């Protein structure tokens, strides 16, 4: 068992390492901000997904620079990037690839699809039907793709950043619950404020507004940062706080919350894992070698909002999964 003094020394040492290895992440933010205005939270969440090896679902109405944000992040990292435009006529083979028959050789050969890259932008993912969305499941969870009888590992880092319009928009399909659970974070992008809107006007109101983003880091530096994220210290009190938050979405009555009739399904164990990893990544970005309860609280809404499935009673009372998660966060004592 590690003694408290030894643990403190390791945390101090780790903090110094993190300050050194977080420099590439700061360079990414600087480059992306050359293009984006007022999307600090979105950029921050994308970096958390990158560090914690978790996929991100970005939701917002058209025109809020969701696609631009993901494309800018990909350009700032010297790695593979593929943009997949999801449409109603898209087929699973268009994503993962297929077997192609060569009559001259009388054999089938594997034709790999665009999923075989590092950063994948699944643009407007909810415009494709469920069978296409489900084609991403194995790649997102297992980091591998099966074509025919062969299984191919995907290169690291591998990250899916999907954008979607709200389900109220015409021509969209609601994502299957099994797939939304594979996303570590669901980030809601809102309209910019007036000052930000004015900056956007001045920066982008050109017939050919182009911004060059230089690659400022490499996959090797990202993987090295991930190794440090794994070492970030999580105290037992913080661990219990994470577990209580997730358990409160399943059995709210046990925590004194009158929400049983409003929640159909709560967060799975994947929610517990992702909340811990995201909190570690948040601590890393703050330059710390240990997780604070505030790290958990700051990221919990994005981790849990798409994992709490509400009942018809909740909809009748005009409750949303987000409002329920906020109530849980306000009720569970912070250590």
């Amino acid at each position: 068992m590690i003694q408290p003094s030894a643990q403190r020394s390791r945390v101090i040492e780790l903090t110094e390492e993190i300050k050194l290895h977080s420099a590439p992440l700061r360079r990414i933010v600087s480059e992306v901000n050359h293009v984006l205005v007022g999307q600090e939270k979105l950029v921050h969440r994308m970096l958390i997904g990158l560090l914690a090896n978790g996929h991100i679902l970005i939701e917002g109405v058209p025109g809020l620079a969701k696609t631009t944000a993901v494309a800018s992040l990909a350009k700032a990292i010297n790695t593979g990037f593929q943009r997949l435009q999801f449409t109603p006529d898209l087929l699973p083979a268009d994503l993962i690839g297929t077997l192609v028959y060569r009559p001259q050789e009388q054999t089938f050969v594997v034709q790999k699809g665009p999923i075989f890259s590092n950063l994948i932008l699944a643009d407007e993912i909810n415009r494709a039907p469920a069978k296409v969305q489900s084609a991403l499941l194995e790649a997102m969870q297992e980091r591998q793709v099966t074509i025919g009888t062969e299984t191919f590992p995907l290169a690291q880092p591998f990250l899916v950043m999907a954008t979607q319009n709200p389900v109220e928009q015409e021509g969209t399909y609601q994502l299957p619950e099994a797939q939304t659970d594979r996303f570590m974070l669901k980030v809601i992008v809102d309209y910019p404020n007036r000052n930000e809107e004015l900056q956007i006007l001045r920066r982008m109101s050109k017939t050919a507004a182009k911004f060059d983003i230089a690659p400022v880091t490499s996959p090797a530096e990202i993987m090295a940062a991930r190794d440090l994220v794994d070492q970030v210290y999580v105290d037992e009190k913080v661990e219990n706080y994470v577990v209580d938050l997730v358990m409160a979405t399943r059995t709210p009555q046990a925590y004194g919350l009158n929400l049983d009739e409003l929640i159909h399904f709560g967060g799975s164990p994947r929610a517990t894992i992702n909340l811990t990893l995201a909190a570690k990544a948040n601590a890393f970005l703050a330059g710390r070698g240990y997780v604070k309860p505030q790290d958990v609280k700051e990221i919990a809404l994005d981790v849990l909002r798409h994992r709490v499935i509400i009942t018809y009673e909740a909809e009748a009372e005009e409750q949303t999964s987000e409002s329920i998660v906020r109530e849980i966060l306000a009720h569970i004592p912070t250590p």
Side-chain angles (χ1 to χ4, degrees):
M1 181 178 178
I2 301 176
Q3 296 299 319
S5 58
Q7 182 64 66
R8 281 195 297 270
S9 299
R10 175 54 190 150
V11 168
I12 293 172
E13 180 184 333
L14 182 62
T15 298
E16 294 303 315
E17 290 185 64
I18 286 174
K19 289 179 180 178
L20 179 64
H21 285 81
S22 62
L25 282 302
R26 291 193 293 273
R27 293 198 297 267
I28 290 176
V29 173
S30 177
E31 282 296 315
V32 171
N33 284 342
H34 290 164
V35 177
L36 297 183
V37 175
Q39 297 288 8
E40 289 81 6
K41 179 183 176 182
L42 175 57
V43 175
H44 180 265
R45 297 304 191 260
M46 290 195 301
L47 292 180
I48 285 180
L50 192 64
L51 287 170
N53 197 21
H55 311 293
I56 303 174
L57 180 61
I58 306 169
E59 182 178 292
V61 297
L64 295 183
K66 303 183 299 296
T67 303
T68 302
V70 179
S72 299
L73 175 67
K75 289 178 182 178
I77 303 172
N78 189 21
T79 189
F81 170 64
Q82 284 285 351
R83 172 178 173 170
L84 309 178
Q85 188 65 49
F86 279 60
T87 57
D89 60 346
L90 202 68
L91 297 173
D94 295 329
L95 301 183
I96 65 174
T98 187
L99 293 173
V100 177
Y101 182 68
R102 289 186 175 174
Q104 299 87 349
E105 303 170 7
Q106 295 187 347
T107 58
F108 286 92
V109 296
V110 174
Q111 181 69 47
K112 293 183 178 179
I115 197 71
F116 288 89
S117 190
N118 297 103
L119 294 185
I120 305 297
L121 169 56
D123 203 13
E124 295 191 288
I125 190 173
N126 61 334
R127 292 206 176 275
K131 66 178 180 180
V132 178
Q133 297 165 0
S134 298
L136 283 174
L137 286 179
E138 182 184 13
M140 291 173 65
Q141 182 61 29
E142 307 296 335
R143 265 68 176 182
Q144 65 182 29
V145 170
T146 301
I147 304 175
T149 58
E150 293 186 73
T151 299
F152 303 90
L154 294 169
Q156 291 296 328
F158 174 77
L159 191 65
V160 174
M161 296 187 183
T163 69
Q164 72 169 11
N165 297 325
V167 294
E168 291 78 15
Q169 297 288 317
E170 289 187 21
T172 61
Y173 301 82
Q174 190 166 0
L175 295 181
E177 293 168 6
Q179 185 175 9
T180 56
D181 194 43
R182 261 69 175 190
F183 288 100
M184 170 178 278
L185 306 173
K186 180 180 179 181
V187 184
I188 304 298
V189 181
D190 206 349
Y191 289 109
N193 61 37
R194 190 184 187 284
N195 289 335
E196 292 166 349
E197 192 89 15
L198 188 60
Q199 291 182 53
I200 293 170
L201 181 152
R202 291 170 176 168
R203 184 180 297 186
M204 304 298 292
S205 58
K206 301 174 185 176
T207 56
K210 292 184 179 180
F211 298 91
D212 293 326
I213 295 181
V216 293
T217 187
S218 66
E221 288 182 308
I222 297 299
M223 299 306 290
R226 284 184 179 181
D227 289 339
L228 290 177
V229 169
D230 287 338
Q231 298 175 47
V232 171
Y233 175 69
V234 184
D235 189 78
E236 186 177 349
K237 291 181 180 179
V238 178
E239 290 177 338
N240 284 312
Y241 180 53
V242 170
V243 172
D244 284 338
L245 288 176
V246 177
M247 291 296 294
T249 67
R250 303 178 202 165
T251 55
Q253 198 69 40
Y255 292 87
L257 287 159
N258 190 25
L259 300 173
D260 286 74
E261 294 183 357
L262 304 181
I263 299 176
H264 189 48
F265 290 111
S268 69
R270 190 180 284 121
T272 306
I273 296 168
N274 286 346
L275 183 51
T276 305
L277 283 172
K280 284 184 174 185
N282 199 40
F284 179 96
L285 291 173
R288 280 184 278 104
Y290 60 95
V291 173
K292 289 182 177 180
Q294 190 58 36
D295 291 316
V296 178
K297 203 162 189 174
E298 182 180 335
I299 204 70
L301 185 59
D302 293 326
V303 174
L304 295 175
R305 62 156 54 98
H306 56 298
R307 292 185 163 96
V308 174
I309 311 302
I310 61 175
T311 63
Y312 291 117
E313 288 82 359
E315 293 180 7
E317 295 181 18
E318 298 184 347
Q319 292 273 10
T320 64
S321 60
E322 184 166 324
S323 65
I324 290 172
V325 173
R326 289 186 186 277
E327 186 172 345
I328 291 172
L329 287 169
H331 182 81
I332 301 297
T334 305

